[in-house]
């Protein structure tokens, strides 16, 4: 089955602490992986994608094909990081294109 | 236009009525997606369009749901005989192309909050 799993619905950390939002996927081909973020009262927007190997707002994510994971990490959480985070994948198998989102993790950064 | 727009922003309807939700994608984006966002359910894929055709309708929850896209631009999601469980935020997104790590980054609209009484 093709799916994206985010095991934590809610993750609370203190400001300045490291944060890791977990994402595991199951996909038969070679997917592209993304992290999207939705801040309060704002639109869902792209945070980063694995192909770019970029760091956005201090966040990084490494694709681990062996573990089929794409965890999102930041060494020092800030209060403004509080938001809903969605892991997603896209890919094409047997001519069918799929874009699959996880159920999301709400990150709360406490002062 | 600056981004994806959706209308109405809020819709309250009575159970059993039909509703139409509209999405205006970013100009030039060939792919358009509809999602449903419910409390505790995350983001549920409904349907996507490549141009005017919908190669994947597998996410539509029932035959009360339908969607169309005309002129490769505006899309309408129609829910017939609405039920209370249809209450959710309906999100639309567009991308330049489906497939490919750069081209298929999705740009989301603000959503339509549907409340079925």
């Amino acid at each position: 089955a093709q799916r994206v799993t985010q095991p934590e619905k809610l993750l609370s950390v203190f400001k300045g602490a490291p944060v890791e939002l977990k994402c595991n996927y199951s996909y038969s081909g070679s997917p592209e992986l993304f992290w999207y973020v939705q801040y309060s009262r704002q639109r869902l927007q792209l945070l980063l994608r694995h192909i770019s190997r970029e760091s956005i707002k201090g966040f990084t994510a490494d694709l681990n094909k062996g573990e089929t994971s794409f965890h999102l990490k930041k060494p020092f959480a800030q209060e403004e990081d509080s938001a809903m985070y969605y892991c997603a994948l896209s890919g094409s198998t047997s001519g069918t294109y799929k874009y699959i989102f996880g159920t999301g993790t709400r990150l709360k950064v406490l002062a | 236009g600056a981004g994806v727009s959706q209308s109405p922003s809020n819709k309250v309807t009575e159970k059993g009525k039909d509703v139409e939700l509209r999405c205006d994608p970013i100009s030039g984006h060939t792919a358009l997606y509809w999602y449903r966002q419910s409390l505790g359910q995350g983001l549920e894929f409904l349907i996507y369009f490549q141009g005017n055709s919908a190669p994947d309708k597998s996410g539509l929850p029932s035959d009360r749901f339908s969607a169309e896209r005309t002129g490769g631009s505006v899309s309408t999601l129609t829910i017939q005989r609405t039920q209370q469980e249809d209450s959710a935020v309906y999100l639309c997104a567009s991308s330049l192309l489906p497939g490919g790590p750069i081209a298929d980054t999705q740009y989301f609209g603000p959503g339509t909050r549907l409340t079925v009484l």
Side-chain angles (χ1 to χ4, degrees), chain B residues 7-25:
Chain B
S7 61
S9 55
N10 279 284
K11 177 71 177 178
V12 180
T13 191
E14 293 179 346
K15 177 182 172 181
K17 297 283 178 95
D18 298 351
V19 295
E20 282 190 354
L21 312 180
R22 177 187 167 107
C23 172
D24 277 280

Side-chain angles (χ1 to χ4, degrees), chain A residues 54-72:
Chain A
E54 56 201 346
S55 174
I56 303 294
K57 299 185 178 182
F59 284 97
T60 58
D62 291 320
L63 179 61
N64 186 323
K65 292 185 179 180
E67 296 182 358
T68 59
S69 68
F70 189 57
H71 304 326
L72 184 67

Side-chain angles (χ1 to χ4, degrees), chain A residues 26-61:
Chain A
S26 173
Y27 192 75
S28 56
S30 294
E32 306 295 340
L33 275 297
F34 305 80
W35 276 98
Y36 284 82
V37 62
Q38 189 170 28
Y39 301 101
S40 179
R41 297 188 189 88
Q42 293 188 27
R43 304 184 184 201
L44 196 60
Q45 59 186 288
L46 177 71
L47 179 63
L48 55 80
R49 49 188 168 231
H50 93 269
I51 195 72
S52 301
R53 296 184 176 276
E54 56 201 346
S55 174
I56 303 294
K57 299 185 178 182
F59 284 97
T60 58

Side-chain angles (χ1 to χ4, degrees), chain A residues 9 32 34 36 38 43-46 49-52 84 86 90-91 95-104 106, chain B residues 3-5 33 35 37 40-43 45 48 56 58 91 97-102 104-110:
Chain A
K9 283 192 173 182
E32 306 295 340
F34 305 80
Y36 284 82
Q38 189 170 28
R43 304 184 184 201
L44 196 60
Q45 59 186 288
L46 177 71
R49 49 188 168 231
H50 93 269
I51 195 72
S52 301
M84 192 76 177
Y86 292 93
S90 71
T96 301
Y97 174 74
K98 289 287 185 183
Y99 212 116
I100 304 169
F101 279 80
T103 52
R106 182 168 297 283
Chain B
V4 178
S5 61
Y33 311 79
Y35 296 89
Q37 189 176 34
Q41 298 296 319
L43 210 57
F45 167 81
Y48 100 90
D56 186 357
S58 62
L91 292 175
L97 291 169
I102 303 299
D104 69 359
T105 295
Q106 297 195 6
Y107 297 84
F108 283 83

